[in-house]
Amino acid sequence: MTFTDAPAFIHPLRIYWEDTDAGGVVFYANYLKFFERARTEWLRSLGFQQERMRTEGGAMFVVADTRVRYLSPARLDDLIEVSVRVVESGRASLRLVQEARRGGQALAEGEIRIGCVDTGTFKPRRIPNDILDAIA
Amino acid sequence: MTFTDAPAFIHPLRIYWEDTDAGGVVFYANYLKFFERARTEWLRSLGFQQERMRTEGGAMFVVADTRVRYLSPARLDDLIEVSVRVVESGRASLRLVQEARRGGQALAEGEIRIGCVDTGTFKPRRIPNDILDAIA
Amino acid sequence: MTFTDAPAFIHPLRIYWEDTDAGGVVFYANYLKFFERARTEWLRSLGFQQERMRTEGGAMFVVADTRVRYLSPARLDDLIEVSVRVVESGRASLRLVQEARRGGQALAEGEIRIGCVDTGTFKPRRIPNDILDAIA
Amino acid sequence: MTFTDAPAFIHPLRIYWEDTDAGGVVFYANYLKFFERARTEWLRSLGFQQERMRTEGGAMFVVADTRVRYLSPARLDDLIEVSVRVVESGRASLRLVQEARRGGQALAEGEIRIGCVDTGTFKPRRIPNDILDAIA
């Protein structure tokens, strides 16, 4: 299934000292963390908690592929918004487009592929049906 | 000046994958980050932004001493509350007591001493008067 | 200029608690840190230190684009090797291919584009000639 | 048992971009990571690997208490040395003194208490005998 015009979920977050580096701006690798936080809150907004999924369901999402373009630097105290939009969903993996913005300005944009695995073996497994249903 | 019964500022935050380690719980060093986020929001609640203070005022707070006791593990998806209470304020440094709690349970408690320095030389300087006034 | 068969620079590093997450393996975002460490050591091996470049030369490298595929999980105590290979160099940016391996097994592979900017304005500028000469 | 003059184990490490913050120096919370890396290498030097201890022995060390004084800032590209010295060892916990230095200069000094717990229940348990024997 492919989603072209799905509305994006938005997660706001603040930039703290821990997020910056000696260049005076946000350390680029941290955008992967920001994207992850937004995906976690998006799943929570759909009724899913990953800790329960991991400990009770024996399943967890793992990140398979990330592509990020860093467009403009963010700084300490900035309030930014991170979006989540599913662009493709299969039985064992999802492809998402995410963006970090501050007001009208794009800071970073990413394309993230996540898969579902068994927590013990790390072997791919079907994404739980209730999650697939909630996304569709 | 010593504050014994000052009410605490409270900052809530969520635990994400980035905060955990292979033990399955929050990596202890991250409580220093959580305490820092709470102090930043506490300063913001008083009207102060550290990025402006750094770039326009040429001053920044640095952490001089941290003591943290780790009492109970937090986990992915937990919503925790971090408190800030000033227990001593001098002209160039503050001593704060901070606590991380999940519901009624104490997760970590810290005693943090921060000082004010010149951004160029890192030499100690007076905490800006308006901040001292706001705290008192 | 395009480099197809340039030998790779190799940087070994150890996995610590801080690198892992509750899945029991290395948190994927950290591979960007590992790739960065390897690039820093590669520049050092060519005679360049980024702190001097930043404070004395007023220039710094920034990461413009990262693409990473996560192939196999690494764990606490693993000793891994991270490679750096320049695949394209222009006057203001470089494209590098990097890989993280443990013994014969590929853990993650990345394609990273970095640019050179002025430390004050973040405007693109030419990569210092001595660095370009050393890479060529 | 109390050790007063035990020789210190020394672990050297390099400061990378990921370790710094917008103040231009190492983010203070990262000294806890540096101390942890040094303790991990110290255990390894005695023949112990924590991943094996965790997955095969069902035991892991957890940090119970940290006290750190931050004395002088470190910067990108600095090569620092982190020491480990056991100052007290009980059946279920150890107290260590650790220091980060750059050449002759002390950067940070810490006092860390670690305990041993069961990986499933997080209940305190005896430190494995072979580790206690190796330390004594």
Side-chain angles (χ1 to χ4, degrees):
Chain A
M1 202 186 321
T2 305
F3 306 75
T4 47
D5 300 314
F9 173 85
I10 304 285
H11 175 64
L13 59 86
R14 182 72 70 174
I15 303 302
Y16 297 110
W17 280 103
E18 67 190 85
D19 302 313
T20 62
D21 71 18
V25 300
V26 167
F27 183 59
Y28 64 97
N30 290 334
Y31 286 98
L32 286 182
K33 295 185 180 179
F34 302 160
F35 289 162
E36 167 96 50
R37 294 183 202 172
R39 292 196 305 274
T40 296
E41 294 303 340
W42 163 71
L43 283 172
R44 192 187 320 284
S45 76
L46 298 175
F48 304 104
Q49 300 209 19
Q50 292 176 81
E51 179 69 1
R52 187 174 302 163
M53 184 178 154
R54 182 174 78 89
T55 55
E56 296 175 16
M60 60 184 177
F61 283 114
V62 292
V63 174
D65 198 320
T66 59
R67 170 80 191 268
V68 185
R69 275 173 296 273
Y70 309 91
L71 305 172
S72 187
R75 293 169 192 276
L76 184 62
D77 284 331
D78 281 354
L79 183 63
I80 73 175
E81 297 195 323
V82 183
S83 65
V84 182
R85 200 158 52 83
V86 179
V87 290
E88 214 181 301
S89 83
R91 294 165 65 140
S93 76
L94 303 174
R95 202 158 56 83
L96 305 104
V97 166
Q98 301 198 247
E99 203 177 26
R101 303 183 72 84
R102 184 192 47 224
Q105 185 168 33
L107 304 171
E109 53 190 28
E111 207 180 298
I112 313 289
R113 196 161 57 77
I114 61 177
C116 194
V117 301
D118 181 277
T119 52
T121 63
F122 275 81
K123 288 204 176 130
R125 47 170 283 181
R126 245 186 97 91
I127 296 171
N129 277 332
D130 47 357
I131 295 186
L132 282 179
D133 290 348
I135 292 170
Chain B
M1 202 185 321
T2 306
F3 306 75
T4 47
D5 299 313
F9 173 85
I10 304 285
H11 175 64
L13 60 86
R14 182 72 69 175
I15 302 303
Y16 296 112
W17 280 103
E18 66 189 84
D19 302 314
T20 62
D21 71 19
V25 300
V26 167
F27 184 59
Y28 64 96
N30 290 334
Y31 285 99
L32 286 183
K33 296 186 180 179
F34 302 160
F35 289 162
E36 168 95 50
R37 294 183 202 173
R39 290 195 306 274
T40 296
E41 294 303 340
W42 163 69
L43 283 171
R44 191 186 322 284
S45 76
L46 297 175
F48 304 104
Q49 300 209 20
Q50 292 177 82
E51 179 69 1
R52 186 173 303 162
M53 184 177 154
R54 181 174 79 88
T55 55
E56 296 175 16
M60 61 183 176
F61 283 114
V62 292
V63 174
D65 196 320
T66 58
R67 169 80 190 270
V68 185
R69 275 174 294 274
Y70 309 91
L71 304 171
S72 187
R75 293 169 193 277
L76 185 62
D77 285 329
D78 281 353
L79 183 62
I80 73 174
E81 298 195 323
V82 183
S83 64
V84 181
R85 199 158 52 83
V86 179
V87 290
E88 215 180 300
S89 83
R91 294 163 66 138
S93 77
L94 302 175
R95 202 157 57 82
L96 306 103
V97 166
Q98 301 198 250
E99 203 177 28
R101 302 183 72 84
R102 183 190 50 223
Q105 186 168 34
L107 304 171
E109 54 190 26
E111 207 180 297
I112 313 289
R113 196 162 56 81
I114 61 177
C116 193
V117 301
D118 180 277
T119 53
T121 62
F122 275 81
K123 286 202 178 133
R125 47 171 284 181
R126 246 185 96 91
I127 295 170
N129 277 332
D130 48 357
I131 295 185
L132 282 180
D133 289 348
I135 292 170
Chain C
M1 199 184 326
T2 306
F3 306 74
T4 46
D5 299 314
F9 173 85
I10 304 284
H11 175 65
L13 59 85
R14 182 72 68 173
I15 303 303
Y16 296 111
W17 281 103
E18 67 189 84
D19 303 314
T20 62
D21 70 19
V25 300
V26 167
F27 183 59
Y28 64 96
N30 291 333
Y31 285 100
L32 286 182
K33 296 186 180 180
F34 302 160
F35 289 163
E36 167 95 51
R37 294 183 203 172
R39 292 196 305 276
T40 295
E41 294 303 340
W42 163 70
L43 283 171
R44 191 187 321 284
S45 76
L46 297 174
F48 305 104
Q49 301 209 19
Q50 292 178 82
E51 178 70 1
R52 189 173 300 163
M53 184 178 155
R54 181 174 80 88
T55 55
E56 295 175 17
M60 59 185 177
F61 284 114
V62 292
V63 173
D65 197 320
T66 58
R67 169 80 190 269
V68 185
R69 275 174 294 273
Y70 308 91
L71 305 171
S72 187
R75 293 168 192 277
L76 184 62
D77 285 331
D78 280 354
L79 183 62
I80 73 175
E81 296 196 325
V82 183
S83 65
V84 181
R85 200 158 52 84
V86 179
V87 289
E88 215 180 301
S89 83
R91 292 164 66 138
S93 76
L94 302 176
R95 202 158 57 83
L96 305 104
V97 166
Q98 301 198 249
E99 203 176 28
R101 302 183 71 84
R102 183 192 48 222
Q105 186 169 32
L107 304 171
E109 52 190 28
E111 209 179 296
I112 313 288
R113 195 161 56 79
I114 61 177
C116 193
V117 301
D118 181 276
T119 52
T121 63
F122 275 81
K123 288 202 177 131
R125 47 171 285 182
R126 245 186 96 92
I127 297 171
N129 276 333
D130 47 357
I131 295 186
L132 282 180
D133 290 349
I135 292 170
Chain D
M1 200 184 323
T2 306
F3 306 75
T4 47
D5 298 313
F9 174 84
I10 303 285
H11 176 63
L13 59 85
R14 182 73 68 175
I15 303 302
Y16 296 111
W17 281 102
E18 67 189 84
D19 302 314
T20 62
D21 70 20
V25 300
V26 168
F27 182 59
Y28 64 95
N30 290 333
Y31 284 100
L32 285 183
K33 295 185 180 180
F34 302 160
F35 289 162
E36 167 97 50
R37 294 183 202 172
R39 290 195 305 274
T40 295
E41 294 303 340
W42 163 70
L43 283 172
R44 191 186 322 283
S45 77
L46 297 175
F48 304 104
Q49 301 209 19
Q50 292 176 82
E51 179 69 1
R52 187 173 303 162
M53 184 177 153
R54 181 174 79 90
T55 55
E56 297 175 16
M60 62 184 176
F61 283 114
V62 292
V63 173
D65 196 322
T66 59
R67 169 81 191 268
V68 185
R69 276 173 294 272
Y70 309 91
L71 304 171
S72 187
R75 293 168 192 277
L76 185 60
D77 284 330
D78 281 354
L79 183 62
I80 73 175
E81 297 195 323
V82 183
S83 64
V84 181
R85 199 158 53 83
V86 180
V87 290
E88 217 181 300
S89 83
R91 294 164 65 139
S93 76
L94 302 175
R95 201 158 57 83
L96 306 103
V97 166
Q98 301 198 248
E99 203 178 25
R101 303 182 71 83
R102 182 190 50 224
Q105 187 168 33
L107 304 171
E109 53 190 29
E111 207 179 299
I112 313 289
R113 196 161 56 80
I114 61 177
C116 193
V117 301
D118 181 277
T119 53
T121 63
F122 275 80
K123 287 205 177 131
R125 46 171 285 181
R126 246 186 96 92
I127 296 170
N129 277 331
D130 47 358
I131 295 186
L132 283 180
D133 289 348
I135 291 170

